Amino acid sequence: NAGVTQTPKFQVLKTGQSMTLQCAQDMNHNSMYWYRQDPGMGLRLIYYSASEGTTDKGEVPNGYNVSRLNKREFSLRLESAAPSQTSVYFCASKKGTAPYEQYFGPGTRLTVT
Amino acid sequence: AQSVTQLGSHVSVSEGALVLLRCNYSSSVPPYLFWYVQYPNQGLQLLLKYTSAATLVKGINGFEAEFKKSETSFHLTKPSAHMSDAAEYFCAVSLNTNAGKSTFGDGTTLTVKP
């Protein structure tokens, strides 16, 4: 089992460029999440998908969109990148909507210049 | 509503000393509580979890945490620190509502001195 995988590992964008961060899990989990991690601010939820076919906003959704492509894959899109979106992005999954533990990917380090 | 406060963004201990990382929570219903560890340039991994069974929870790598409802706390301890324990630690709270989403604390960076 690979667990949760994310691509790319690193990315540098110029202001205004767009990109999609990919996430996939092979644990047959129903729920998937996108977080951003900034120094001293813990993890902040951007969007989540409680089950295939549903997505909802989290704490900091502005400037992002998501797609739950199927049960395995959950992508995060930045339509017009801004320097404030420089961060480390983590995808996570868990079994269902009960308060189970989450399984995290290795992260994507994004720099917007 | 749910929230987590981790007291101390940085904790430094000597190798072999007691590790104590503090976490206080707030929730409107009985909480589920987690400690995650993050090593440099990696994702978070579960250290231990409290799910309303035993109040003293044992996790991996010799860590344990005690759920104290009266103090709304879930502090993480380890009797003797190892150099390999140096990492960032996150406390998280989740409820059996709101799709079971977790709220994370700001994290505590543990440094272990030789």
Side-chain angles (χ1 to χ4, degrees):
Chain A
N1 280 357
V4 180
T5 57
Q6 292 183 237
T7 55
K9 286 189 166 46
F10 301 93
Q11 184 72 48
V12 179
L13 292 178
K14 294 187 188 313
T15 298
Q17 288 184 318
S18 63
M19 79 162 294
T20 300
L21 281 64
Q22 307 286 354
C23 173
Q25 52 89 11
D26 62 0
M27 296 173 283
N28 201 34
H29 286 170
N30 288 312
S31 300
M32 297 185 74
Y33 304 83
W34 276 106
Y35 294 93
R36 60 178 289 172
Q37 183 180 29
D38 301 292
M41 301 185 74
L43 274 76
R44 292 183 291 168
L45 183 64
I46 305 171
Y47 270 94
Y48 69 101
S49 171
S51 60
E52 186 179 357
T54 69
T55 60
D56 283 288
K57 295 178 180 179
E59 185 185 350
V60 289
N62 291 346
Y64 305 95
N65 283 301
V66 289
S67 295
R68 183 76 183 264
L69 304 169
N70 47 54
K71 191 171 186 179
R72 288 188 64 247
E73 299 172 287
F74 188 38
S75 63
L76 178 71
R77 183 160 178 83
L78 286 71
E79 290 292 352
S80 178
S84 60
Q85 294 179 304
T86 294
S87 188
V88 182
Y89 292 85
F90 288 100
C91 178
S93 70
K94 71 178 173 75
K95 206 186 313 186
T97 55
Y100 301 111
E101 64 267 29
Q102 296 186 27
Y103 294 78
F104 286 81
T108 294
R109 294 183 176 275
L110 175 67
T111 302
V112 183
T113 61
Chain B
Q2 65 207 60
S3 67
V4 167
T5 302
Q6 291 184 239
L7 299 173
S9 58
H10 290 86
V11 170
S12 180
V13 301
S14 297
E15 193 173 18
L18 171 72
V19 175
L20 170 61
L21 304 183
R22 299 176 188 273
C23 172
N24 288 89
Y25 70 90
S26 172
S27 72
S28 51
V29 297
Y32 293 74
L33 295 158
F34 305 85
W35 276 100
Y36 291 88
V37 60
Q38 184 182 32
Y39 298 105
N41 301 314
Q42 295 185 27
L44 281 70
Q45 54 185 280
L46 182 71
L47 207 51
L48 50 79
K49 61 182 177 182
Y50 167 76
T51 56
S52 76
T55 57
L56 182 62
V57 181
K58 294 188 185 300
I60 60 171
N61 300 337
F63 284 93
E64 62 182 39
E66 187 171 9
F67 173 71
K68 291 188 177 181
K69 185 178 177 182
S70 60
E71 299 176 9
T72 61
S73 69
F74 190 57
H75 301 331
L76 182 70
T77 60
K78 182 174 181 178
S80 176
H82 295 157
M83 297 296 291
S84 60
D85 294 328
E88 189 161 19
Y89 293 80
F90 292 91
C91 182
V93 62
S94 187
L95 307 181
N96 208 0
T97 58
N98 200 15
K101 289 185 294 181
S102 288
T103 299
F104 289 81
D106 291 343
T108 297
T109 299
L110 175 66
T111 301
V112 182
K113 299 175 290 185

